[in-house]
């Protein structure tokens, strides 16, 4: 549940230093005093003004303003008894238009411990191996990389990513598991993509309404491990795959560099930033948007559709079988072929058992 660029008091970065796909909604578990209708109206009006001035999808602003005006007469507006409830229902309303919208409230009387109770996304990535959970060489010489976020690009995170890519550098096919990946840094997307594409390949562009400028993201000139421009790549997706993870999948899909297997992703393509609304409320408003050089659009709201649909539970087996069959076509090593055939039998058998079990359950 993470999206593009986030800038707030706790984690500010200049545009030139990093573009991130980050977005999580934090609400205090405590129930606070009732919020008045006057305060709710003032917050809503401030929200509308900020969206009008800053939201990147200008053609949606009138629809959003109209929806927020109607929201004033809705049961959700009337029945919101606390600041947390009001922030939550506003977020739900706004996310009908853009998954990166968020509204938060923080009590000014809350202790500092409670304020810092939630670990920031990039701090967590930095603490937990830049998000890399599992790196393995599967039977048949298929590389498997499972990671839950794209860390901010730094010398430390690059070193970790280089180690990952070095570990799988001799694989004959690769599976990237993004089924639980919530996104992060666009620069890390650049870095990892550079291992599989020619230098200076145009991956994505981001247009910023605030400055009326566009930044292009290209693959880097060189990386530490020799690039593999022809190795088969499979990307696993789910409805939880979000933001920078969606960008990675979308870029490689439309560059015809990877086969996507799984579910349509969550649909968040617009970098965002926090703005104060008053009364300790703040809104995360998308201020920029991705523009793919091939499609001239992005995956906002609609998500990234896989080439091959499969449930998140079965996506790995489906992709693994595809990879094994592809590698089998290109190898003359009888031992590898024997290993591949054995694994294919095992995977087919497992699929049959799952199907039988499902049929009996029904």
């Amino acid at each position: 549940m993470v999206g593009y660029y986030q800038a707030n008091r706790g984690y500010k970065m200049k545009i030139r230093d990093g573009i991130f796909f980050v977005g999580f909604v934090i609400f205090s578990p405590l129930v606070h005093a009732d919020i008045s209708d006057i305060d709710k109206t003032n917050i809503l009006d401030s929200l509308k003004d900020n969206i009008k001035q800053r939201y990147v999808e200008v053609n949606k602003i009138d629809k959003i303003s109209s929806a927020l005006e109607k929201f004033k007469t809705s049961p959700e507006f009337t029945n919101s008894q606390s600041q947390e409830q009001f922030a939550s229902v506003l977020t739900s309303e706004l996310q009908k238009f853009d998954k990166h919208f968020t509204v938060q409230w923080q009590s000014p009387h809350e202790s500092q411990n409670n304020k810092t109770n939630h670990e920031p996304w990039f701090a967590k990535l930095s603490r937990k191996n830049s998000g890399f959970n599992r790196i393995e060489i599967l039977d048949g010489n298929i590389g498997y990389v499972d990671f839950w976020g794209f860390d901010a690009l730094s010398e430390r995170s690059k070193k970790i990513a280089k180690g990952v890519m070095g570990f799988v550098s001799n694989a004959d096919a690769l599976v990237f598991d993004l089924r639980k990946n919530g996104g992060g840094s666009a620069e890390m997307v650049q870095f990892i993509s550079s291992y599989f594409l020619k230098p200076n390949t145009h991956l994505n562009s981001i247009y910023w309404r605030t400055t009326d400028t566009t930044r292009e993201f290209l693959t880097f000139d060189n990386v530490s491990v020799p690039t593999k421009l022809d190795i088969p790549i499979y990307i696993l997706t789910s409805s939880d795959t979000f933001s920078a993870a969606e960008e990675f999948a979308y870029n490689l899909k439309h560059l015809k560099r990877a086969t996507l297997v799984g579910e349509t992703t969550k649909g968040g393509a617009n970098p965002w930033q926090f703005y104060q609304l008053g009364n300790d409320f703040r809104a995360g408003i998308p201020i920029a948007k991705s523009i793919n050089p091939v499609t001239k659009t992005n995956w906002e709201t609609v998500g990234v559709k896989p080439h091959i649909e499969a449930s998140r539970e079965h996506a790995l087996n489906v992709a693994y079988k595809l990879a094994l069959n592809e590698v089998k076509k290109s190898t003359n090593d009888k031992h590898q072929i024997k290993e591949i055939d054995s694994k294919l039998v095992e995977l087919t058998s497992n699929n049959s058992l799952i199907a039988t079990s499902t049929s009996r359950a029904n």
Side-chain angles (χ1 to χ4, degrees):
M1 43 186 186
V2 182
Y4 282 147
Y5 175 71
Q6 175 190 11
N8 56 43
R9 292 177 184 174
Y11 202 95
K12 284 190 177 179
M13 295 197 73
K14 295 179 182 178
I15 290 172
R16 66 175 180 269
D17 295 330
I19 308 300
F20 299 118
F21 296 56
V22 186
F24 31 76
V25 183
I26 310 302
F27 301 108
S28 167
L30 304 176
V31 176
H32 294 270
D34 289 357
I35 181 171
S36 70
D37 285 348
I38 293 175
D39 284 343
K40 286 188 283 189
T41 298
N42 289 337
I43 291 159
L44 199 60
D45 289 341
S46 177
L47 178 60
K48 286 170 59 180
D49 287 343
N50 273 278
I51 289 172
K52 183 177 180 179
Q53 293 174 30
R54 310 178 195 281
Y55 183 48
V56 68
E57 299 283 6
V58 178
N59 61 329
K60 293 183 181 180
I61 291 176
D62 287 345
K63 289 183 180 179
I64 295 172
S65 295
S66 177
L68 290 176
E69 197 61 35
K70 290 180 182 178
F71 181 73
K72 289 181 180 178
T73 60
S74 70
E76 290 83 0
F77 180 93
T78 304
N79 296 333
S80 294
Q81 298 299 310
S82 70
Q83 290 90 340
E84 293 94 334
Q85 287 176 326
F86 189 55
S88 180
V89 295
L90 277 177
T91 297
S92 296
E93 185 66 25
L94 289 171
Q95 287 189 354
K96 295 175 183 177
F97 299 93
D98 192 312
K99 299 294 185 184
H100 278 112
F101 273 122
T102 180
V103 178
Q104 299 178 3
W105 177 79
Q106 180 105 58
S107 170
H109 307 297
E110 209 167 312
S111 71
Q112 186 62 33
N113 286 339
N114 282 337
K115 286 184 180 180
T116 59
N117 189 45
H118 182 88
E119 185 176 18
W121 182 253
F122 288 104
K124 184 177 180 181
L125 277 165
S126 179
R127 181 175 63 84
K128 302 188 74 172
N129 202 42
S130 289
F132 292 100
N133 277 333
R134 177 182 163 196
I135 304 95
E136 188 175 349
I137 302 299
L138 306 175
D139 287 348
N141 202 32
I142 311 299
Y144 175 78
V145 180
D146 174 20
F147 59 123
W148 53 267
F150 286 77
D151 200 1
L153 196 62
S154 66
E155 288 306 312
R156 180 182 177 279
S157 64
K158 283 201 295 187
K159 183 177 180 180
I160 293 171
K162 286 177 182 178
V164 170
M165 300 316 300
F167 185 85
V168 298
S169 62
N170 290 316
D172 292 315
L174 279 178
V175 176
F176 286 103
D177 194 340
L178 305 184
R179 289 176 292 179
K180 296 180 181 179
N181 195 303
S185 164
E187 282 82 6
M188 183 60 81
V189 171
Q190 274 182 289
F191 186 72
I192 295 175
S193 300
S194 298
Y195 283 87
F196 312 109
L197 295 163
K198 292 179 180 179
N200 298 311
T201 298
H202 189 180
L203 297 170
N204 187 36
S205 296
I206 296 182
Y207 167 77
W208 299 85
R209 181 187 173 190
T210 49
T211 58
D212 193 28
T213 57
T214 300
R215 175 180 172 183
E216 292 186 348
F217 289 81
L218 311 177
T219 52
F220 297 125
D221 289 338
N222 57 72
V223 288
S224 59
V225 179
T227 56
K228 288 195 169 184
L229 300 180
D230 58 352
I231 185 173
I233 297 174
Y234 302 87
I235 298 176
L236 310 184
T237 62
S238 78
S239 58
D240 290 327
T241 305
F242 193 46
S243 241
E246 294 179 281
E247 198 229 322
F248 182 73
Y250 192 86
N251 293 348
L252 268 63
K253 175 184 178 180
H254 291 289
L255 288 168
K256 303 186 186 304
R257 191 60 193 86
T259 300
L260 277 54
V261 180
E263 301 169 344
T264 298
T265 62
K266 194 170 184 178
N270 295 341
W272 59 277
Q273 187 170 339
F274 275 123
Y275 294 95
Q276 298 300 320
L277 302 178
N279 287 28
D280 300 304
F281 281 81
R282 64 179 183 174
I285 297 175
I287 57 173
K289 64 180 178 180
S290 292
I291 304 171
N292 182 271
V294 177
T295 66
K296 309 302 181 186
T297 184
N298 59 45
W299 59 95
E300 180 61 44
T301 306
V302 297
V304 184
K305 296 184 178 181
H307 294 97
I308 300 169
E309 292 187 358
S311 68
R312 69 180 67 198
E313 295 81 10
H314 298 156
L316 176 55
N317 273 8
V318 172
Y320 191 9
K321 287 174 70 175
L322 290 170
L324 288 169
N325 280 308
E326 192 64 28
V327 171
K328 186 178 177 180
K329 295 176 187 177
S330 60
T331 183
N332 295 317
D333 188 319
K334 63 180 182 181
H335 300 293
Q336 186 177 15
I337 292 172
K338 182 179 179 181
E339 185 174 280
I340 288 172
D341 286 339
S342 176
K343 195 64 186 180
L344 285 169
V345 169
E346 179 186 331
L347 291 171
T348 302
S349 175
N350 287 344
N351 285 344
S352 298
L353 288 172
I354 291 170
T356 301
S357 176
T358 302
S359 177
R360 287 176 180 171
N362 291 338

